[in-house]
Amino acid sequence: MSESISKCDVVIVGAGFAGLFALYRMRSLGLSAIVLEQGTDIGGTWFWNRYPGARCDVESLQYSYSFSDEVQREWSWSEKFASQAEILRYINFVADKFDLRGDIELSARVTSADYHESDSRWTVTTEAGQVFDAQFLIFATGPLSVPLVPDVPGLDTFKGDVYRTSTWPKHDVDLRGKRVAVLGTGSSGIQVIPAISGEVAELFVLQRTPNYVVPGYNGPMDPAYERDWKSHYAQRRAAAVRTRSNNLFAAGTIPGAQLSTEKRERDLEASWRIGGLGFNYVFPDLSTDADVNKHASDFVRRKIVEKVRDPEVAGRLLPTEYGFGGRRVCVDNGYYETFNRDNVTLVDLRAEPIETMTEYGFRTVAADYRIDTLILAAGFDAFTGALARIVIRGRHGITLRDKWRDGPLNYLGMAVSGFPNMFMIAGPGGPSVLSNVVISVEQQVEWIAGCLKFMGDSGVGLIDARGEAEQKWCAHLSALSAGKSISKTKSWYTGANVEGKSGRYLLYMGGTANYLDELREHGYSGFDLA
Ligand code: NA7
């Protein structure tokens, strides 16, 4: 073997929340591991998405590692919902505390991974030509790490500045006095829009599909609230793991269908006043009962009308083509109020499609707009995008890309038949973004660590998911998604934002508590071990 090949037990791809914890756990098993990270620093999603207003919409005290009580006690969050900068500081704090950096290669973009039948090992190659040889390969590449370039005609002709929320520059971007357009009104767009509206001269919001946006009521962390959480962390974390999303909310337990309209309305109002993504859980049948879903959807639409002064603008902001929760619900930091500002214009691309970008702006079927800066918040090739961009060759030289042509077949959301000793975290087939993802990735890493320990203890060198187990798991994923509003609506959850992408098997929709139970029940029964 050539000297330039580095050998270790485990190669981990990605140094975000998942990859860093995977490194920690591999080390604690006594395995040698190396993390390959394409960015110039650690942090994954929170390294790249540094746009103005970027923040998490899961509460800070919950969107944080649970594996170390010391970290939980030592770290203090300054806001209810942490900003990107604070989360990145937290990730660096954890990396330093556990001295993780020594096993992380930065600026190391993985381009291919090849499985070798002869010794049941993987070779992993980076863009710079580094080669790593490992028994195990863990992809912690992130569910939302491949940004999409929108198919706007003439994008190249625009001579102004173009920024993407997903790869926002590290240096300060001065938008003061500029005429700016933001394309995209998903979670990223709805955060950047209010954040910059006060400094730009004019802001054009280019909206194709309106979203449901619930209030966040972010603010400084209440010291009493933090103290209370910290003194009950173990119990709270344990309770969160028994929910549908690894996240404690004031969730309703009585189906909305069993309640009177008046009681339902009161519950919706109470949940709205609490704010945040808990509104998704106000009734257990919110995403499955058409009447209940309509009630919640109408409720949010009424709130939008109340907040936006101009009735015509309000009307254009109303999501009408799908029900509440059909797409990722966004959490508000003054989004709707932004449209009451004189310098903000909503451009409804459904009524007024962009014909082309011009040198100095964009032209719709109705008007010419002059802008200095275009901000793209156009979303991601979710769940499978990062893996599809790496040439991953498993048994018999079959690539993952080919295997996944009609949908990302997987077993337990972590393994793929024909790709032995390879694992995915927060990829397709698991709960991923439908949950508090920091906890979900901890759980998947724990499962992988348990598996590797079991293999070591029992002298097993190879694990490969069986084809039939994979088929059964994927049929189960389809059954779990049937009837849910998410699966009936076109969005990145279903792959519909990427042309030609199959929306099958992308997410486990049975809730995180059930997912954990299923992992336990399956054990290693669906795998070939050798
Ligand atoms: P999203 O939620 O996928 O939002 C992307 C937005 O960009 C959405 O409003 C799209 O409209 C819009 N888009 C995409 N392509 C176009 C074109 N060609 N023309 C006009 N508008 C377009 O991505 P986010 O980054 O906001 O959020 C993703 C997750 O990241 C989020 O949930 C957090 O977990 C973090 P569309 O809806 O497709 O009509």
Side-chain angles (χ1 to χ4, degrees), residues 13-338:
V13 186
F17 268 109
L20 294 176
F21 182 53
L23 172 59
Y24 172 88
R25 282 299 276 124
M26 294 305 112
R27 278 187 185 172
S28 67
L29 290 175
L31 298 171
S32 61
I34 183 97
V35 176
L36 304 176
E37 165 56 54
Q38 63 176 340
T40 55
D41 212 336
I42 63 170
T45 286
W46 300 106
F47 169 78
W48 296 102
N49 289 267
R50 52 180 74 230
Y51 58 87
R55 91 176 43 250
C56 187
D57 52 19
V58 175
E59 276 196 41
S60 320
L61 284 158
Q62 303 203 58
Y63 189 86
S64 47
Y65 286 123
S66 66
F67 74 89
S68 162
D69 196 39
E70 232 178 296
V71 168
Q72 287 188 159
R73 270 187 280 117
E74 282 175 27
W75 184 264
S76 270
W77 294 102
S78 68
E79 290 177 278
K80 180 176 166 193
F81 294 107
S83 67
Q84 170 272 335
E86 188 166 22
I87 298 172
L88 194 56
R89 279 200 299 280
Y90 168 80
I91 291 172
N92 278 277
F93 164 79
V94 174
D96 291 338
K97 183 168 180 65
F98 298 108
D99 199 17
L100 297 179
R101 287 178 202 280
D103 289 324
I104 302 173
E105 287 273 332
L106 298 171
S107 306
R109 196 170 81 81
V110 170
T111 50
S112 65
D114 290 87
Y115 178 71
H116 304 282
E117 204 74 60
S118 54
D119 57 1
S120 313
R121 292 178 71 89
W122 286 90
T123 52
V124 179
T125 308
T126 69
E127 197 168 40
Q130 299 158 285
V131 183
F132 299 83
D133 169 271
Q135 186 182 1
F136 298 103
L137 175 57
I138 300 177
F139 285 105
T141 38
L144 294 159
S145 51
V146 176
L148 293 175
V149 181
D151 53 352
V152 178
L155 201 50
D156 292 344
T157 52
F158 178 57
K159 287 197 165 146
D161 295 324
V162 179
Y163 298 103
R164 292 189 201 177
T165 48
S166 49
T167 47
W168 196 264
K170 273 184 167 177
H171 61 79
D172 281 344
V173 175
D174 189 0
L175 297 173
R176 279 174 303 174
K178 297 267 169 64
R179 294 164 65 86
V180 178
V182 175
L183 180 141
T185 52
S187 292
S188 306
I190 72 106
Q191 289 186 335
V192 76
I193 288 161
I196 63 172
S197 64
E199 65 183 287
V200 301
E202 236 179 310
L203 181 59
F204 299 96
V205 176
L206 311 187
Q207 171 194 269
R208 191 164 63 182
T209 315
N211 277 307
Y212 290 90
V213 184
V214 299
Y217 309 122
N218 187 38
M221 179 63 72
D222 173 355
Y225 184 68
E226 186 181 18
R227 262 196 313 278
D228 180 54
W229 258 87
K230 288 197 166 186
S231 54
H232 297 95
Y233 239 139
Q235 300 95 305
R236 301 259 165 94
R237 294 291 202 183
V241 164
R242 295 317 308 158
T243 67
R244 292 182 55 77
S245 59
N246 283 331
N247 208 339
L248 282 184
F249 295 117
T253 51
I254 303 173
Q258 293 175 16
L259 301 173
S260 68
T261 308
E262 294 72 27
K263 169 71 175 133
R264 261 194 337 222
E265 182 73 12
R266 280 200 301 280
D267 288 358
L268 288 165
E269 185 63 41
S271 179
W272 186 265
R273 279 168 197 268
I274 294 169
L277 293 170
F279 198 81
N280 278 306
Y281 302 94
V282 57
F283 306 118
D285 54 353
L286 181 62
S287 72
T288 48
D289 186 287
D291 286 341
V292 176
N293 189 268
K294 183 173 181 313
H295 191 161
S297 308
D298 286 342
F299 178 91
V300 180
R301 287 191 281 259
R302 274 185 269 128
K303 292 290 183 189
I304 299 170
V305 170
E306 279 169 24
K307 286 186 188 207
V308 180
R309 273 190 228 118
D310 181 331
E312 204 211 313
V313 175
R316 293 190 183 283
L317 287 167
L318 299 183
T320 50
E321 292 169 7
Y322 63 98
F324 184 86
R327 305 166 114 226
R328 173 63 150 81
V329 172
C330 304
V331 179
D332 181 24
N333 286 295
Y335 176 64
Y336 290 120
E337 289 78 358
T338 308

Side-chain angles (χ1 to χ4, degrees), residues 411-412 469 473 476 517-527:
Y411 180 50
L412 305 180
W473 177 254
H476 179 51
D517 290 345
E518 295 209 43
L519 293 185
R520 270 184 220 113
E521 279 159 26
H522 280 254
Y524 307 119
S525 62
F527 291 96

